[in-house]
Amino acid sequence: MKASQFFISTLKEAPADAEVVSHQLMTRAGMIKKLGAGIYSYMPMGLRVIQKVEAIVREEMNRAGAVELTMPVVQPAELWQETGRFDKMGPELLRIKDRHGRDYVVQPTSEEVVTDIARQELRSYKQLPKNFYQIQTKFRDERRPRFGLMRGREFIMKDAYSFDRDEAAAKASYQVMAAAYRRIFDRFGLRYRAVAADSGAIGGDLSEEFQVIAATGEDAIVYCPTSDYAANMEKAEALAPAGPRATAANPMVKTPTPGKSTCADVAELLGVPLATTVKSLVLATDTLNEAGEIVKSQVWLLLLRGDHDMNEVKVGKVPGLDAGFRFATIPEIEAHFGCQPGYLGPIGLKLPVKLVVDREVAVLADWICGANQPDFHMTGVNWGRDLSEPELVADLRNVVEGDASPDGQGALAIERGIEVGHVFYLGTKYSKGMGATFLGEDGKPAHFEMGCYGIGITRLPAAAIEQNHDERGIIWPDAIAPFTVVICPIGMDRSPDVKAAAEQLHEQLVAAGVDVLLDDRGERPGAMFADWELIGVPHRVTIGDRGIKEGQIEYQHRRDAAATKVAVAEVLDFLKGRIAA
């Protein structure tokens, strides 16, 4: 490829609405062009990256035995109504009507359509297992699209769906996909972690997220540096503290804390560690009648250490809260505690509440909590003496750096990541919802056991940039770079020798199967180098008249601080070696 035949359009400044590095650099490098909020055109340079991502994904999915198809972007609402998702999904699901007034959706995912295909086409256990996948455009009507391709409304995704005869076979299919995903992300050349993820309402332990490590990542990844343990924040277990509770040493005292409504302020005022304070979180659960009206509400009090944060996923698994909960209203709080938030605690309640205590709080002695009176807290509070031993103790909190690893192999560390893939065991959620069955070996109908597996095709290049960039621009890994090598001839229009050497090397690299671009635009060296550093092509060869006369050219990797001189006769083998490395 020659630059004069391609389309290159770079900018010196990023648009004002580009908040993160990947959005800024993809726009400046001419890879994407904004059309509307969260909607982008993939320009030729960016499309090459996307196509390379797709090619790797397609090769490994095919290698794993998955079968490619394509399902419509616009789907009839009837299928979504069968599973209830047409009504249950919020405004992120774009609902439209055709000219006849029939309801459709613009797909954010395709479980319903692929299940409909399976119930029509897979009639016998002899046709199983099957895994169908597609690389297709999706649309999710984000309320606040931002960060370019990181959180757009229209995006390209690889989604796959496995169908099996029973749970054991489904788990085997899951492991095949989990292994394929590791091969895919290894080939991308990015630092990533596969982390255990929460399976939500479906339950079970088979769910993993693939996270590209980046300081700008929105997700917290919990891992043990001395073992293979890794999980996302929602999944990571905070182990029960070792050892018995300390003996009470202080009397319970109602202590003035004027204007100090947070645990941190109270700890500072009293000169005590934040870990000795206890925060009160008030939730509520509702009982509904057939019309969906609230007929009864139950108020819950959760106690966590002042230096810990509540984990909503874990709370959602507590018996009684597992059917859904909300934060209590101010009138509900005042009715039960006789006080507004900021000074709440479990002692001296106006009305009874259900109490749930975090594991760490259950072993505290001489702790501090609100007194249910403005400007006062109770100090020296102890279980058994000042209030009954907690009946319901659970893991309610987010882990923190330094917590013991659940596998017993060391302490936990936390880093940031960007989710770019997810493998998930679905079970029979969709097959039962849509009556999708096959005839088993016993001649009886059985519901398919399903799994789903996604990769964010257009999100992945943005994640790669967040991990690989510097002040000059993007630094692409070889596998997904728009071009692997760029040849930069200096004064090509003035020097026949430079022109001949550049064209000869270009032809040799093309013949060797290397994805190479020859920059024949006639740009000044500074402008030419700045373009390719911004675009991020990993390998650059510079050919100049003086070097040609000395029998040398200059090679520089995008990460190198300086160029390396290479003999013209050896440059082809040298480049092959660097690319292979």
Side-chain angles (χ1 to χ4, degrees):
M1 177 70 69
K2 294 186 177 180
S4 58
Q5 300 169 324
F6 198 61
F7 181 79
I8 299 167
S9 177
T10 57
L11 300 173
K12 290 186 177 180
E13 301 293 334
D17 65 343
E19 301 174 70
V20 295
V21 169
S22 58
H23 189 188
Q24 295 166 358
L25 292 179
M26 291 192 87
T27 304
R28 286 187 56 209
M31 295 190 171
I32 58 174
K33 191 171 184 64
K34 184 176 178 179
L35 181 63
I39 302 174
Y40 294 86
S41 297
Y42 307 126
M43 301 301 286
M45 194 70 73
L47 183 60
R48 290 182 67 88
V49 177
I50 291 168
Q51 288 172 334
K52 290 190 174 184
V53 171
E54 289 181 353
I56 291 172
V57 170
R58 186 171 276 116
E59 286 173 15
E60 293 299 337
M61 290 299 293
N62 293 344
R63 177 182 169 189
V67 182
E68 187 172 9
L69 48 65
T70 302
M71 292 173 277
V73 175
V74 176
Q75 302 175 354
E78 287 89 342
L79 294 176
W80 288 70
Q81 288 163 346
E82 284 189 57
T83 61
R85 289 210 297 173
F86 185 78
D87 296 316
K88 289 178 183 176
M89 285 193 73
E92 289 79 17
L93 180 64
L94 183 62
R95 300 163 175 85
I96 59 176
K97 290 182 182 290
D98 69 6
R99 66 175 68 194
H100 304 293
R102 292 184 292 244
D103 290 314
Y104 288 82
V105 304
V106 180
Q107 62 142 0
T109 181
S110 282
E111 281 85 354
E112 282 82 359
V113 173
V114 78
T115 304
D116 182 57
I117 291 171
R119 69 182 173 183
Q120 294 183 59
E121 300 293 337
L122 303 178
R123 299 183 178 89
S124 168
Y125 72 93
K126 296 179 181 179
Q127 296 172 275
L128 302 177
K130 278 290 182 291
N131 188 327
F132 296 118
Y133 81 96
Q134 65 173 347
I135 297 176
Q136 176 63 293
T137 299
K138 306 286 193 299
F139 190 92
R140 184 171 52 234
D141 199 2
E142 295 274 2
R143 180 175 66 177
R144 190 185 175 201
R146 56 198 303 219
F147 304 153
L149 299 189
M150 293 283 285
R151 194 186 292 174
R153 292 197 293 167
E154 183 183 278
F155 52 97
I156 299 171
M157 183 175 173
K158 188 284 299 179
D159 47 327
Y161 307 90
S162 59
F163 296 87
D164 284 278
R165 64 170 73 181
D166 55 32
E167 184 176 338
K171 289 181 176 180
S173 291
Y174 174 96
Q175 296 300 339
V176 169
M177 281 293 98
Y181 269 48
R182 284 166 171 78
R183 292 195 299 270
I184 288 169
F185 287 99
D186 287 344
R187 287 183 61 181
F188 287 150
L190 302 174
R191 288 190 303 112
Y192 75 94
R193 287 189 183 274
V195 302
D198 186 75
S199 298
I202 296 168
D205 296 322
L206 291 181
S207 179
E208 291 173 274
E209 293 172 351
F210 288 77
Q211 300 266 0
V212 170
I213 306 305
T216 54
E218 292 184 286
D219 298 326
I221 302 169
V222 180
Y223 70 102
C224 179
T226 55
S227 75
D228 293 332
Y229 178 81
N232 65 15
M233 184 60 75
E234 289 76 16
K235 178 76 172 179
E237 180 185 6
L239 292 180
R245 182 193 301 152
T247 303
N250 300 311
M252 184 173 71
V253 177
K254 186 177 179 180
T255 304
T257 54
K260 306 302 181 182
S261 61
T262 68
C263 288
D265 288 343
V266 170
E268 183 179 8
L269 174 69
L270 301 180
V272 298
L274 183 58
T276 64
T277 67
V278 170
K279 64 175 67 171
S280 297
L281 302 172
V282 187
L283 306 180
T285 53
D286 299 320
T287 301
L288 308 178
N289 61 20
E290 292 182 359
E293 300 165 331
I294 298 175
V295 295
K296 181 182 176 182
S297 294
Q298 173 65 56
V299 171
W300 299 67
L301 175 62
L302 275 58
L303 298 182
L304 282 82
R305 240 170 54 180
D307 58 338
H308 289 157
D309 293 323
M310 183 182 87
N311 184 311
E312 290 196 27
V313 171
K314 293 179 181 179
V315 171
K317 295 181 179 180
V318 173
L321 295 169
D322 49 358
F325 63 86
R326 59 179 172 83
F327 285 94
T329 65
I330 295 297
E332 287 173 325
I333 292 172
E334 291 177 335
H336 287 76
F337 296 84
C339 181
Q340 288 199 356
Y343 300 93
L344 306 180
I347 299 172
L349 302 179
K350 299 290 184 181
L351 294 173
V353 302
K354 288 192 175 182
L355 183 66
V356 188
V357 178
D358 182 70
R359 290 169 172 174
E360 293 281 352
V361 176
V363 299
L364 280 182
D366 296 324
W367 42 280
I368 301 167
C369 65
N372 294 321
Q373 182 179 336
D375 298 327
F376 285 90
H377 279 75
M378 306 300 293
T379 59
V381 180
N382 283 273
W383 296 107
R385 185 191 71 184
D386 305 315
L387 72 170
S388 300
E389 291 287 345
E391 294 184 4
L392 185 50
V393 177
D395 177 16
L396 304 176
R397 69 177 179 92
N398 288 332
V399 299
V400 295
E401 192 135 349
D403 278 345
S405 177
D407 64 4
Q409 299 300 308
L412 294 176
I414 299 174
E415 59 189 357
R416 309 302 298 181
I418 300 167
E419 184 184 347
V420 290
H422 200 160
V423 291
F424 197 92
Y425 169 54
L426 285 172
T428 57
K429 177 180 178 180
Y430 290 94
S431 58
K432 283 186 176 178
M434 298 182 67
T437 63
F438 64 96
L439 286 180
E441 288 184 82
D442 58 3
K444 297 178 181 179
H447 291 99
F448 295 103
E449 292 279 347
M450 294 175 57
C452 67
Y453 319 93
I455 291 177
I457 299 293
T458 45
R459 191 176 216 222
L460 200 137
I465 293 170
E466 293 293 332
Q467 186 181 94
N468 299 279
H469 67 272
D470 60 17
E471 69 282 356
R472 293 173 291 168
I474 303 165
I475 307 174
W476 289 110
D478 282 15
I480 57 175
F483 294 95
T484 308
V485 177
V486 60
I487 301 171
C488 295
I490 308 300
M492 181 176 177
D493 55 337
R494 301 186 303 274
S495 171
D497 291 342
V498 169
K499 183 174 187 296
E503 290 182 344
Q504 181 182 15
L505 179 59
H506 176 257
E507 291 172 4
Q508 289 173 330
L509 289 170
V510 169
V514 176
D515 193 7
V516 59
L517 182 136
L518 171 59
D519 192 343
D520 59 346
R521 295 176 297 167
E523 293 279 355
R524 293 179 295 103
M528 183 164 46
F529 295 161
D531 273 350
W532 297 113
E533 288 172 344
L534 172 61
I535 292 167
V537 173
H539 304 275
R540 187 178 80 202
V541 176
T542 303
I543 300 176
D545 197 52
R546 180 184 298 177
I548 289 295
K549 291 176 180 176
E550 296 173 354
Q552 293 181 325
I553 58 92
E554 290 187 349
Y555 165 83
Q556 187 167 356
H557 189 274
R558 180 63 180 78
R559 293 188 184 276
D560 291 347
T564 299
K565 292 184 181 294
V566 181
V568 171
E570 300 172 3
V571 66
L572 183 61
D573 288 338
F574 177 87
L575 283 171
K576 287 180 180 179
R578 288 304 303 261
I579 293 168

